[in-house]
Amino acid sequence: MLPTPDLSHLKRQDYQFIYEPAEDTFLFLDAFEDEVSYLKELNPAISLEVGSGSGCVTAFVGKILGESNCLKLCTDINPKAARATQGTAKQNQLSVDIIETHLTNGILPRLGGKIDLMYFNPPYVLTPSEEVGSHSVEAAWAGGIDGREVIDEFMPYIKQLLSPKGVFYMVVVNENKPDDIREIMKRDGFESSIVRTRLAGREKLFILKFVRTA
Amino acid sequence: MRLITHNMLQCHVKGCNANNFPLELQEVVLEQEEAELNEDFLRNMLGKIEYEALVATCLKLDINDLPAAMPADAAYNDEFLQILHRVILETHIKSGKMVCPNCQHIYAIRDGIPNMLLAEHEV
């Protein structure tokens, strides 16, 4: 078992401003652990985490990939999360390049078709639409109607960003209608699978995996 | 922010679709941080870097070590890979501005983090 990344530099008060790793985060880590041999085989040149928050997942994936074989990019709309990711990378002796932005704004079209590995734990919680669009910690969970507003905004970019061999992983809950998400992605030319699923309190969590249909 | 990341960023102001890369660095504070040389990683990056933009950016920062064109044997040219390593992976921008050559929009770099967020009316 791979160790959970060292987040000891983040204190109680930091989690007022950034999302604290929780069940969804840990399920994502477990899914990546299942995918270790696949990811090593993939040997990505550029990886991208959208909405990296504390940086926990990127540090974990970074350890799987090894220090220097992959350019590890992250984005987050929350400036405090961007700084937390930067700190977590340092704490875990990884080179990670973090960009403060909304989703992937500012790297398209430049990186179109060049991302080999992309992953996103999106704001999937069902909330009123008005709560979507924050630059603070709410950005980590507020997903609007069906928890789908940010997911739906992002989905069209996936086919633009991923390289031909690229893979995309995303956390969703049952209320996000995973089958509908998979159907939309299918129309964009992706086949999908469920890497992991878990019941955490009231949330039924899924880790979805997408690759281009051969 | 390492220079390699700067090479990945592009203006995304609504309607700004041409001549919007690379963003021009201004008033930057640079810092060299030693990193372990990994030739496989650099080879991975050769096809991902916009080399001409990188050289132009470097010249404006008075970094004159890179050849104007990427050598044909770049992947196995140790001297070139070492220079490339120093420039794109060891040169960090701590703070400064990135200005779009087309629409003049200014993106700030603070604490080594580029901020590509736009105000709502610019999206």
Side-chain angles (χ1 to χ4, degrees), chain B residues 44-88:
Chain B
N44 261 350
M45 287 305 123
L46 291 176
K48 315 282 181 186
I49 296 166
E50 289 288 342
Y51 189 76
E52 209 177 304
L54 174 67
V55 173
T57 297
C58 286
L59 288 176
K60 287 189 180 145
L61 298 175
D62 289 323
I63 301 171
N64 306 310
D65 315 303
L66 285 169
M70 195 187 286
D73 65 347
Y76 297 95
N77 183 329
D78 286 346
E79 194 193 339
F80 173 74
L81 290 179
Q82 276 180 25
I83 296 170
L84 189 66
H85 171 78
R86 197 173 66 237
V87 172
I88 66 172

Side-chain angles (χ1 to χ4, degrees), chain A residues 12-206:
Chain A
R12 195 75 256 147
Q13 57 268 28
D14 291 316
Y15 294 121
Q16 291 172 28
F17 306 106
I18 61 165
Y19 185 71
E20 181 169 7
E23 282 298 329
D24 52 329
T25 318
F26 299 127
L27 186 66
F28 218 5
L29 300 190
D30 290 343
F32 281 115
E33 188 143 30
D34 293 343
E35 294 288 287
V36 165
S37 47
Y38 177 85
L39 293 173
K40 291 198 166 171
E41 179 78 14
L42 181 72
N43 188 23
I46 302 184
S47 72
L48 170 65
E49 179 173 15
V50 181
S52 55
S54 65
C56 179
V57 179
T58 273
F60 191 79
V61 173
K63 288 289 182 201
I64 292 173
L65 297 175
E67 162 48 0
S68 298
N69 291 321
C70 177
L71 178 68
K72 295 177 267 294
L73 300 174
C74 292
T75 69
D76 207 294
I77 196 169
N78 172 352
K80 290 203 163 62
R83 280 149 186 82
T85 295
Q86 192 182 44
T88 298
K90 196 171 175 202
Q91 185 79 6
N92 291 275
Q93 292 93 44
L94 289 165
S95 299
V96 170
D97 294 79
I98 171 88
I99 301 159
E100 195 179 324
T101 195
H102 175 54
L103 300 174
T104 54
N105 287 350
I107 59 171
L108 269 176
R110 167 69 182 89
L111 284 181
K114 291 194 167 65
I115 310 285
D116 296 321
L117 166 63
M118 184 162 72
Y119 45 105
F120 187 18
N121 183 352
Y124 58 66
V125 178
L126 285 62
T127 66
S129 291
E130 303 82 72
E131 289 177 23
V132 178
S134 147
H135 289 197
S136 310
V137 65
E138 301 80 27
W141 68 73
I145 296 164
D146 292 336
R148 278 283 292 273
E149 292 188 27
V150 179
I151 292 171
D152 285 349
E153 184 187 348
F154 185 60
M155 271 199 282
Y157 294 110
I158 298 166
K159 61 179 178 294
Q160 296 177 42
L161 286 155
L162 285 186
S163 69
K165 70 169 184 179
V167 59
F168 174 60
Y169 297 90
M170 182 164 68
V171 181
V172 297
V173 291
N174 212 28
E175 290 78 6
N176 301 148
K177 302 175 182 156
D179 288 342
D180 181 57
I181 289 172
R182 295 173 71 179
E183 188 55 39
I184 292 170
M185 290 295 289
K186 192 176 169 188
R187 290 200 288 271
D188 274 352
F190 289 91
E191 53 187 77
S192 59
S193 54
I194 297 169
V195 183
R196 280 254 182 172
T197 176
R198 183 177 294 163
L199 200 59
R202 289 179 307 157
E203 283 185 343
K204 186 165 189 203
L205 291 157
F206 298 84

